[in-house]
Amino acid sequence: KGTGTESDPYQIYTAQELANVNGTGYYMLMNDIDLTEWINKNSPSKGWIPLGRNGNVMSNLLGNNKTISGLWCNTDEDYTALIALAESISIKDLTIEIAEGKNIKGGNYTAVIIGKASDCVMDNCHVVGSVIGKDYLGGFAGFVASGTISNCTSEVSIQGANYIGGIAGVVTATITKCRAVCSISGSSDVLCNAGGIVGYSTAN
């Protein structure tokens, strides 16, 4: 349902519909979505298959103050998150909860929402859970190039090597009015850039 415009977004009711998100336009969650059954059926060993694994996601996601729960990944691949790569999109009013006893586990650019984001807007989003990876790890995104993150809360534990932040590992974007309640662990042999909000920033 919907035409994909901001005023009449495509409507997402199920985990399968969320997994089918592609192309451009606006998508809106119409109810809370538990990914447990979808993962058990479609990818029981690796967990959730990140949107945009093979290319940038250009779809705007309107959370509609709903929750995506049961999310987890178990892989060594880079760009591991709900969305692998994203460019010029907005994600708003969304809560994501990692499955109990599980993690978002990946390689470089691993996070809860977006592995690597370019010119994206994240507003009024909340993440809860655990992230494990290598470099460029964050509660919201591993790497954020331009764009804004505002009014967001991160309650995550993150374990990795370098460039680790409760909101994002590396940021060249603007972060405002965000809160992180996190456990951060880095293990780089050379230099570990880690912080409660960001690991490394060249922005505001």
Side-chain angles (χ1 to χ4, degrees):
K1 296 181 179 180
T3 59
T5 64
E6 188 170 7
S7 60
D8 184 31
Y10 298 122
Q11 298 177 19
I12 299 174
Y13 288 89
T14 68
Q16 184 59 59
E17 289 174 348
L18 179 64
N20 289 342
V21 168
N22 63 79
T24 60
Y26 289 82
Y27 294 74
M28 177 181 282
L29 298 188
M30 304 307 294
N31 46 242
D32 296 335
I33 295 177
D34 186 343
L35 300 179
T36 302
E37 185 176 342
W38 187 94
I39 290 174
N40 288 341
K41 178 181 178 180
N42 295 280
S43 185
S45 60
K46 290 188 175 182
W48 175 254
I49 301 170
L51 303 177
R53 171 65 83 192
N54 298 314
N56 284 349
V57 165
M58 307 291 286
S59 308
N60 300 281
L61 184 58
L62 307 177
N64 196 23
N65 295 310
K66 306 301 183 185
T67 298
I68 296 173
S69 61
L71 175 66
W72 62 272
C73 301
N74 183 29
T75 177
D76 293 325
E77 295 182 75
D78 296 340
Y79 308 106
T80 297
L82 177 73
I83 301 170
L85 294 152
E87 181 178 356
S88 302
I89 69 169
S90 295
I91 300 177
K92 299 181 178 181
D93 307 319
L94 176 65
T95 295
I96 299 180
E97 298 175 352
I98 306 306
E100 185 175 354
K102 298 284 190 176
N103 313 287
I104 299 292
K105 180 181 180 297
N108 298 320
Y109 305 102
T110 294
V112 178
I113 299 183
I114 304 174
K116 186 175 182 179
S118 300
D119 193 29
C120 294
V121 172
M122 284 179 269
D123 182 62
N124 191 34
C125 293
H126 312 281
V127 296
V128 180
S130 173
V131 173
I132 299 174
K134 296 180 181 178
D135 296 340
Y136 307 105
L137 312 180
F140 285 86
F143 191 106
V144 183
S146 68
T148 61
I149 302 175
S150 58
N151 306 303
C152 292
T153 302
S154 174
E155 298 180 41
V156 294
S157 64
I158 308 176
Q159 301 176 44
N162 197 6
Y163 299 112
I164 305 165
I167 299 295
V170 174
V171 170
T172 59
T174 300
I175 298 176
T176 59
K177 298 181 179 179
C178 290
R179 180 171 179 259
V181 182
C182 302
S183 170
I184 307 293
S185 176
S187 60
S188 174
D189 292 334
V190 181
L191 173 67
C192 180
N193 297 275
I197 299 293
V198 299
Y200 183 85
S201 174
T202 60
N204 298 322

